[in-house]
Amino acid sequence: MFKENDRSALMSTYARFPITILKGKGTYVWNEKNEAYLDFTSGIATCNLGHVPDQVTQKLHQQLDTLWHCSNLYDIPSQTKLAEGLTQHSIFNQAFFCNSGAEANEAALKIARKYAKDHGHPERTSVVSFKNSFHGRTYATLSVTGQEKVQIGYEPLMPGVRSLLFNEVADLGKIHNGKTAAVLLELVQGEGGVNLAQKEWLHSLQDICNKHDILLIVDEVQTGMGRTGTLFAYEQYGIEPDVMTLAKGLGSGFPIGAMLAKKYIAASFTPGTHGTTFGGNPLAATAGMATLTEMTKPGFMKDVRQKAAYFKEQLERLARQFSVIKKVKGLGFLMGIEVDMEAIKLVTLLQEQHVLTLTAGQQVLRILPPLTVTIEEINEFIQKLENVLLVIQEKDDLE
Ligand SMILES: *Cc1c(COP(=O)(O)O)cnc(C)c1O
């Protein structure tokens, strides 16, 4: 199924599909033979405005001719502007910029420990996270990831991490043990199977955090930047987290990550306590600001929600029609269909139809169209998915 080449100059950290992508525009990408693929992965929730979006491209071109890099020892106006934009459109007061989701979560974990120490709780060094979560591949972030496959071979892991059951009310009582500095979670688990946090459970979780001054950190690396139908997913849950991390969609594909916090927490990061060379560099910040500007234009998110509702309806229609689909789940354009087969087989069959999708765990097909997808493109996707499901059903009937 995968292209295997022992003589590759690349380390094989990825099992790559035998597809070469050379060009992209909007919801389509093209291979070396100039054949088009309908891309319902958005580079894993990254190209949320589609490939090579005009407005971001234009701003990046201007910046490319002006200044690429400047040390964080100097004032970087585009970075300040992005911080102002993100804080204006969220409940947070200050931002720290880095280059990836893992780094954003690292920054969040570091500030949580520092905050506890700064407030007279040096014993609070522990973090609670949840089963089936995904938070990144650095030592600290793989340690808080609730999936063994990410951790095997890298032990010993960061000490003090406790992994509880997602959406399990009975586990909430275990959060506060006098040592917990922070709770870290995804509001919709992306890699772990497109699992939505339950509202009531989340509110109880927040109450516990508030009561004991434990930081509530939401990892919106995948759910953020419009993916779930609002700029940030926490808005739909009616909660007020203390810290939020972003990356994937923030730069429309240009690498950038961010950790945002309420002012009293952000105060724990003082000069010299944290940093990174490339964090919020002029090109990255420009990509971020151009992306945010598009997403906060009047009517943009409303349009996304309407299209996403239509998409969900169509997926639910297929679920009624084909017994191989067990469940349709997700929020906005972070959608999954749980199937009664290996989801990777479905990904491969769709690739043969020139449609790109992802998995989330063994039995969930993860579908992440760009927010700019058109109704026609949604219809094309649904038609091709239906074709593939018909073939699967016919095979099943013969057996
Ligand atoms: C992708 C992802 C990360 C890691 O981001 P990288 O940029 O790959 O380091 C962290 N958390 C979530 C929820 C993600 O989806």
Side-chain angles (χ1 to χ4, degrees):
M1 185 186 323
F2 299 120
K3 181 159 65 180
E4 271 177 344
N5 182 355
D6 289 342
R7 282 172 300 177
S8 170
L10 287 172
M11 295 198 190
S12 47
T13 50
Y14 285 88
R16 294 175 198 267
F17 294 110
I19 294 176
T20 306
I21 296 172
L22 295 185
K23 198 174 73 182
K25 189 71 195 168
T27 314
Y28 291 90
V29 292
W30 285 266
N31 68 9
E32 74 283 7
K33 292 181 208 145
N34 214 28
E35 296 165 340
Y37 285 81
L38 186 66
D39 182 7
F40 270 40
T41 71
S42 304
I44 315 191
T46 295
C47 306
N48 287 2
L49 295 176
H51 291 279
V52 196
D54 289 336
Q55 294 81 355
V56 184
T57 307
Q58 201 189 335
K59 295 279 186 214
L60 272 176
H61 272 298
Q62 284 168 10
Q63 191 59 47
L64 201 56
D65 288 332
T66 315
L67 182 70
W68 292 15
H69 182 73
C70 163
S71 160
N72 276 306
L73 291 170
Y74 307 98
D75 176 30
I76 303 175
S78 52
Q79 188 185 120
T80 310
K81 212 171 138 199
L82 178 57
E84 285 167 359
L86 288 171
T87 52
Q88 264 161 28
H89 288 100
S90 71
I91 55 167
F92 306 98
N93 307 108
Q94 288 187 311
F96 168 82
F97 292 108
C98 50
N99 315 289
S100 67
E103 275 177 87
N105 286 331
E106 281 275 342
L109 294 170
K110 280 180 72 176
I111 209 168
R113 275 199 183 169
K114 186 100 178 9
Y115 173 83
K117 287 202 173 60
D118 289 350
H119 291 80
H121 287 297
E123 74 288 358
R124 293 192 175 190
T125 58
S126 169
V127 181
V128 166
S129 59
F130 296 93
K131 302 271 185 229
N132 294 319
S133 61
F134 182 81
H135 299 296
R137 301 285 193 160
T138 63
Y139 267 115
T141 59
L142 77 84
S143 298
V144 292
T145 289
Q147 300 183 50
E148 256 188 12
K149 65 177 186 201
V150 172
Q151 302 171 329
I152 282 172
Y154 299 111
E155 304 84 353
L157 305 178
M158 183 175 84
V161 178
R162 286 182 304 135
S163 185
L164 303 184
L165 289 173
F166 194 59
N167 285 331
E168 177 56 64
V169 176
D171 270 15
L172 290 175
K174 298 178 189 167
I175 288 173
H176 176 60
N177 65 353
K179 296 242 170 80
T180 310
V183 174
L184 169 67
L185 85 163
E186 301 161 84
L187 299 175
V188 182
Q189 293 185 329
E191 308 298 313
V194 191
N195 309 313
L196 275 73
Q198 284 161 12
K199 224 171 196 169
E200 262 179 55
W201 175 81
L202 194 59
H203 279 260
S204 306
L205 173 65
Q206 164 151 289
D207 289 345
I208 291 167
C209 289
N210 285 346
K211 191 170 163 202
H212 301 289
D213 200 18
I214 294 169
L215 298 192
L216 180 59
I217 306 170
V218 288
D219 176 347
E220 294 231 25
V221 169
Q222 188 154 163
T223 54
M225 302 315 287
R227 179 50 54 189
T228 64
T230 45
L231 193 55
F232 307 113
Y234 76 81
E235 297 169 39
Q236 293 178 65
Y237 277 97
I239 55 160
E240 275 218 21
D242 300 295
V243 176
M244 171 173 76
T245 56
L246 298 174
K248 291 195 165 87
L250 182 52
S252 289
F254 200 99
I256 180 169
M259 186 270 287
L260 290 109
K262 294 283 187 67
K263 196 165 196 126
Y264 57 96
I265 298 156
S268 281
F269 269 3
T270 51
T273 53
H274 192 52
T276 172
T277 299
F278 294 123
N281 101 343
L283 283 171
T286 297
M289 193 61 211
T291 303
L292 183 67
T293 303
E294 284 311 301
M295 289 183 183
T296 52
K297 280 187 176 159
F300 181 90
M301 287 313 312
K302 191 175 168 211
D303 181 51
V304 171
R305 286 194 289 277
Q306 277 168 355
K307 289 184 298 187
Y310 172 75
F311 186 44
K312 191 173 186 194
E313 260 172 47
Q314 292 303 310
L315 291 175
E316 275 165 353
R317 177 177 64 79
L318 293 182
R320 287 192 295 274
Q321 202 176 327
F322 297 97
S323 56
V324 70
I325 303 181
K326 289 199 285 190
K327 202 166 146 194
V328 175
K329 48 189 185 170
L331 201 59
F333 277 133
L334 173 42
M335 294 302 296
I337 57 177
E338 200 176 311
V339 285
D340 201 5
M341 62 184 285
E342 289 283 317
I344 190 75
K345 282 195 187 138
L346 208 44
V347 169
T348 309
L349 288 168
L350 283 165
Q351 281 176 0
E352 288 165 12
Q353 302 292 312
H354 281 222
V355 172
L356 304 182
T357 53
L358 299 159
T359 60
Q362 299 284 308
Q363 300 210 310
V364 176
L365 182 78
R366 186 168 35 145
I367 316 165
L368 308 168
L371 311 183
T372 51
V373 69
T374 64
I375 293 290
E376 291 71 33
E377 289 161 349
I378 290 176
N379 288 338
E380 182 187 343
F381 175 85
I382 292 291
Q383 184 60 58
K384 289 192 167 160
L385 178 58
E386 190 166 350
N387 292 346
V388 164
L389 292 168
L390 277 168
V391 171
I392 292 167
Q393 195 177 44
E394 273 167 25
K395 262 196 204 149
D396 276 358
D397 289 348
L398 287 176
E399 272 164 17

